Amino acid sequence: MLIQILITGFVKGGIYAVLVAGLSLMFGVARILNLSYTGFFMLTAYMVYIFSNFTSVPLIIACPLSILGTTILGVVSYRLIIDRVKAHELTVMIISLALSMLFQEILLIIFSGDFRGIPPFKEGFFELGGVRVAYQKIFTIIVSIGVIGALEFLLARTRLGVAIRAVAQDRETANLMGINVNRICLITTGIAMALAGIAGVMVSPLLPLEPHMWIPPLLVILAAIVLGGLGSLKGSIIAAFILGYVETLVVFLIPLGAYLQGAFVLGVMAAVLIIRPEGLFGLVFEEERL
Amino acid sequence: MFYCREKKGSLNFKASDVLVFVTLVLAFVLLFAASQAFAEKTQIKIGVIGPMDYMQGRHHWMGAEMAAEEINATGGVYLDGKQCSIELVQADSNEMKSIPDAIGVMERLITSNEVDFVVGGFRSEAVLGMQDVASRYKKIFINVGSGHPQLTQRVNEDYDKYKYFFRLGSCNMELAEQIHLAALKMVTDAVTRELGIKKPKVALLGEKLMWVDPTFELIKDHAAELGIEVVGEWRPSYSSNDLTAEFTGIKNAGAQVIYDIASGPVAQTFSKQWGEMKIPAAAIGINVPAQDSEFWKKTNGNVEYEAAWSTFPPVPMTERTLPYIEKFKKINNTAPSVYSQTYEAVYILKKAIERAGGNLDADRVVQELEKTDHVAAVGRIRFTDRDDKYTHDMRIEPGYVTTSFIQWLDEAQVCVWPPPGGEWKGVKYEGTEYYKLPPWVVAYWKDRE
């Protein structure tokens, strides 16, 4: 059973990791908690659904197009709405939440609340240590590792990455050093929205598509961000895996209480915060950002 | 005394002016009230309540609308010596998201829209609240689509208060016990017969909602009688979107059969992952969305071989079944479901009103509804009696409504229960086929031998 818990938890955590990376990046750099993140994730999923059901565009083209569409929409919404109120954290949270609800209601009007589905890129599964893992999940984890690696490379090895880190660490000094902070925030939002799009493309074939599908993942990734330490990308990703394991343990150890997964996730988060208020990899010093 | 102090630049009213004005207003109000009281009723208003953004609510509306159009086209309902037409009032209960919303909408339907009757309702938790509102206003409410026994148990326990409530469509999970047990036995017998397993292991997997509890309790209570072993109960949330851990647990427990009950997003997750991961346990149960004719496409074909409870299998349960399904499909471009039995609810109301002598008095209509004997598309509908444990519930037994189980085979729903040979109390419907175990389940357990 231990091996099965290890494998199942890793698969769950890997899927949460791809979801959490973008929001954590956006929070770390732009310092905004954009709660519309999973709303954009949902929009991408619906775009893929539209392409695959109402057009003859092959999936290999439909997916990049959907990611591009989400990125553009995310950047435009940042520029038109979030950017204007970003100085007020609570306003950003409420407005971004309202944006997701707006997406939800629009999708509800167009597609109704019926459950829909996107076909996986590859049907079937393989068995590892007694656990049947769908190919789509393995594909998602591989992409998630690739995306996190690429993000790490971008942040550590490129000029843009240096600029992003500089803004994340101290935006005033970065500004004095000639970095256009607003542009970096916009670029970071674009990257984060592209990550939401990638997550939408990868994860949505695993989920029933319906206009409220943005809510459950938002809860988990917010818990991961807080548990990992606000602003720490590394912490968020590790927390995503921890939460994946918490959920798995709940199902394996108390099957009758499988519905309590969300409660346990929040419970673990609260317990860690009581002992370590800054989270697992929280920032004691501003310089540790990213 | 009525007087207005004169002010420079303001209007000046005398006491007599005010008196005349008040008298005129009172006279208008009295005349309006009198005209309403003595006005001849030309329409019967029926409220249709349900989650209109979802399949459940839409089907509530489609069924009621179809019946109202048919009745109006043939002269309407006989009321006080006149033919009245039926006017439907749509009310979106939002019960998927908010139970207080649903209760508020029911109140509005009765007080503001002034409907004469209400049909619909889906989530048991919400319908319990709606039932209280309807009873408070002594308004007849025919629920179409909730399964919790408490709804009709309340009618039995406090008849005077709740007698205005009737249930159609969805089965009281306790009254349907023989059906669930017999259908489960059909699958466990197949396991014994084809796999040589004398005491099949059954896993219970159901969303964490109250309507699921009675059936699971029932199966656990009758396990010895059925010759099965219940290896565990998994209760994911209604909106769960990943059942990998649950399926791994079920596989570890060595279950050959899963009895699943779900209506929310988790129902689609169940079918998708069960088929995709070829879980080595046959799936049967109440997967509500699996009744949808589009479900094969929505699960990318992974529902293949899953068996699910169904109200409208593609077989003639009565002479009205197939024509009704055809007509419904033609009008609405989708197959009917348990929720579209608002169609029968409207017809049953019409007949009861006419039997009551064309009277809308709730108590008299209740008396006539209790005498209902209506051959519907799903079977012969009669309500349970006042001295039954569950009062005003739909009778579920041979000769009345039996419902059925379908199995998804080759992209289509095939009726597999009641079995074609009349093995269940002699009931059989033409066109039914024998249940087939999923080939990967057979292969898995034969390999283990």
Side-chain angles (χ1 to χ4, degrees), chain B residues 311-312 317-318 321 341 344 376-381 400-403:
Chain B
T311 317
F312 288 106
M317 292 181 291
T318 69
T321 314
Q341 284 189 75
E344 308 294 356
V378 290
R380 184 178 160 205
I381 294 176
Y400 294 96
V401 175
T402 62
T403 71

Side-chain angles (χ1 to χ4, degrees), chain B residues 60 113 154 161 187 194 207 215 243 277 285 316 346 380:
Chain B
H60 279 143
N113 297 110
R154 278 173 152 192
K161 182 179 176 187
V187 178
E194 292 183 40
E207 63 191 6
T215 310
L243 296 175
M277 295 199 277
V346 172
R380 184 178 160 205

Side-chain angles (χ1 to χ4, degrees), chain A residues 67-81:
Chain A
I67 295 170
L68 184 69
T70 304
T71 309
I72 293 170
L73 208 60
V75 170
V76 169
S77 76
Y78 173 82
R79 196 75 175 154
L80 294 180
I81 306 166

Side-chain angles (χ1 to χ4, degrees), chain A residues 17-24 26 33-44 70 96-97 99-100 103 189 191-199 214 218 221 225:
Chain A
V18 74
L19 281 166
V20 83
L23 191 60
S24 183
M26 204 160 24
L33 195 54
N34 189 342
L35 298 181
S36 63
Y37 181 76
T38 49
F40 284 100
F41 153 81
M42 172 174 72
L43 279 187
T44 320
T70 304
S96 58
L97 198 63
L99 204 58
S100 278
F103 295 157
T189 303
I191 296 170
M193 288 304 163
L195 289 172
I198 292 169
W214 63 279
L218 182 64
I221 60 177
I225 286 175

Side-chain angles (χ1 to χ4, degrees), chain B residues 198 248 350 362 369 409:
Chain B
K198 284 183 183 159
T248 306
K350 168 189 153 62
L369 278 172
L409 293 168

